[in-house]
């Protein structure tokens, strides 16, 4: 049914004509995809955009690993030092602990800063609905609560990141000792509990919840943003897209090439 292919999406396999193949896909969907989707996104699998389900493919091999990209790397020291190095430039000034939307506003299809028209270009990476004062309602984002743990055991699971679709509450455990592997006793890890993002609370909007309705809602906000000549939206929140780290970097480089 999938000759010559190394992977297929669960959506593809669910629609296969072979009843045995379809039965296998239905078993996986019922015991893995459906409970994980409902827990992670707070909506039923029928409501979520198929692109979200397609992110976790079925493999037709015993290959170890989630990705099949030819190059798979992590920064030598850490992502923190990676970004510190990027920001260590005479042309870059960083201000932390500031609410950008208290200074930045859209008026007459132009970005203003502190109430005055801004002549430069603004690259906005925050939630696009908040930029336009929720004119078309709140876009749905999901957040996470991390429960940090330490174990005297040197290893608590076989892989650095393991999903637990049938556990109550948390979706996955990340064992940081294995990212990268460290030769130390004991192990630090975190349980991830998804929850709805609420503006004004001490939480981050990590994931855009992609449904038919939310995509239509986002399109209205994008139409507003496209009218602003000196505004570029970028990233998971401003583009309302579920980017992996490599896709986020690719999007940033794409904008750099345009500029």
């Amino acid at each position: 049914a999938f000759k010559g292919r190394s992977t297929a999406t669960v959506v593809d396999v669910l629609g296969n004509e072979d009843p045995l193949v379809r039965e296998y896909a239905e078993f996986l969907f019922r015991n893995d995809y459906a409970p994980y989707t409902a827990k992670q996104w707070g909506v039923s699998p029928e409501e979520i955009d198929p692109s979200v389900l397609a992110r976790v493919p079925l493999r037709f091999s015993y290959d170890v690993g989630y990705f099949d990209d030819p190059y798979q790397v992590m920064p030598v020291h850490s992502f923190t030092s990676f970004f510190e190095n990027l920001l260590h430039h005479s042309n870059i000034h960083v201000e932390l602990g500031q609410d950008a939307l208290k200074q930045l506003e859209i008026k007459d299809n132009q970005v203003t800063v502190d109430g005055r028209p801004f002549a430069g270009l603004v690259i906005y990476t925050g939630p696009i609905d908040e930029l336009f004062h929720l004119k078309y309602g709140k876009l749905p984002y999901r957040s996470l609560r991390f429960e940090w743990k330490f174990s005297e055991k040197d290893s608590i699971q076989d892989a650095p990141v393991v999903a637990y679709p049938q556990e109550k509450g948390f979706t996955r455990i990340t064992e940081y000792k294995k990212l990268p592997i460290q030769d130390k006793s004991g192990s630090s890890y975190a349980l991830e509990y998804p929850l709805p993002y609420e503006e004004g609370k001490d939480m981050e909007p990590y994931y855009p919840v992609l449904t038919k309705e939310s995509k239509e809602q986002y399109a209205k906000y994008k139409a507003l943003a496209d009218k602003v000549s000196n505004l570029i939206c970028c990233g998971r929140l401003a583009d309302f897209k579920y980017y992996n780290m490599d896709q986020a970097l690719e999007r940033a480089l794409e904008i750099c090439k345009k500029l």
Side-chain angles (χ1 to χ4, degrees):
F2 299 97
K3 190 175 181 180
R5 292 174 59 177
S6 58
T7 65
T9 71
V10 70
V11 178
D12 287 342
V13 184
L14 281 168
N16 191 266
E17 294 178 359
D18 188 318
L20 279 176
V21 173
R22 202 164 55 247
E23 183 182 351
Y24 170 65
E26 287 166 356
F27 173 84
L28 278 179
F29 191 80
R30 186 171 59 253
N31 292 283
D32 189 326
Y33 286 86
Y36 191 90
T37 298
K39 191 165 46 172
Q40 168 72 4
W41 299 103
V43 298
S44 70
E46 290 75 27
E47 292 177 82
I48 203 74
D49 190 76
S51 66
V52 175
L53 296 173
R55 289 175 60 84
V56 185
L58 276 63
R59 286 196 178 278
F60 305 132
S61 70
Y62 292 101
D63 291 346
V64 175
Y66 180 79
F67 299 104
D68 53 12
D69 304 81
Y71 302 104
Q72 299 180 48
V73 300
M74 290 178 66
V76 172
H77 300 294
S78 67
F79 276 107
T80 299
S81 62
F82 174 78
F83 284 106
E84 283 175 346
N85 189 45
L86 281 179
L87 297 171
H88 186 65
H89 191 285
S90 58
N91 289 349
I92 297 176
H93 172 69
V94 179
E95 286 188 34
L96 301 176
Q98 300 293 320
D99 184 349
L101 295 182
K102 286 184 178 176
Q103 297 174 291
L104 185 150
E105 197 170 0
I106 308 297
K107 287 184 180 175
D108 300 322
N109 292 333
Q110 188 177 10
V111 176
T112 66
V113 175
D114 294 328
R116 294 186 296 273
F118 184 67
L121 187 65
V122 171
I123 297 176
Y124 178 76
T125 62
I128 192 171
D129 55 346
E130 294 178 15
L131 179 62
F132 292 100
H133 304 290
L134 309 180
K135 180 174 180 176
Y136 299 117
K138 281 184 64 63
L139 285 170
Y141 298 96
R142 293 290 276 179
S143 187
L144 291 173
R145 177 176 66 84
F146 293 91
E147 194 173 284
W148 301 95
K149 304 265 190 181
F150 177 79
S151 173
E152 298 293 342
K153 294 180 180 178
D154 288 338
S155 176
I156 64 157
Q157 57 188 20
D158 292 337
V161 184
V162 177
Y164 293 84
Q166 296 190 19
E167 290 289 342
K168 287 187 178 179
F170 68 89
T171 47
R172 65 183 182 181
I173 295 177
T174 301
E175 190 173 7
Y176 291 95
K177 182 182 180 178
K178 295 184 169 82
L179 291 170
I181 293 173
Q182 298 153 54
D183 186 19
K184 297 289 181 182
S185 60
S187 187
S188 296
Y189 61 100
L191 283 69
E192 298 181 20
Y193 291 84
L195 66 164
Y197 167 67
E198 295 181 47
E199 185 191 359
K201 298 239 177 133
D202 187 20
M203 57 174 62
E204 296 281 346
Y206 289 106
Y207 306 102
V209 182
L210 300 177
T211 64
K212 180 176 180 292
E213 292 75 17
S214 69
K215 289 169 75 175
E216 290 172 355
Q217 189 182 7
Y218 161 71
K220 294 179 182 179
Y221 282 117
K222 186 177 186 305
L224 291 179
D226 288 344
K227 292 177 183 175
V228 184
S229 58
N230 60 335
L231 174 71
I232 290 179
C233 290
C234 177
R236 269 191 185 188
L237 308 180
D239 286 336
F240 201 66
K241 284 187 180 176
Y242 189 172
Y243 292 128
N244 284 333
M245 179 64 83
D246 59 329
Q247 294 167 325
L249 290 170
E250 184 179 23
R251 170 68 173 145
L253 292 171
E254 175 189 304
I255 287 174
C256 285
K257 286 175 184 175
K258 285 181 181 177
L259 297 178

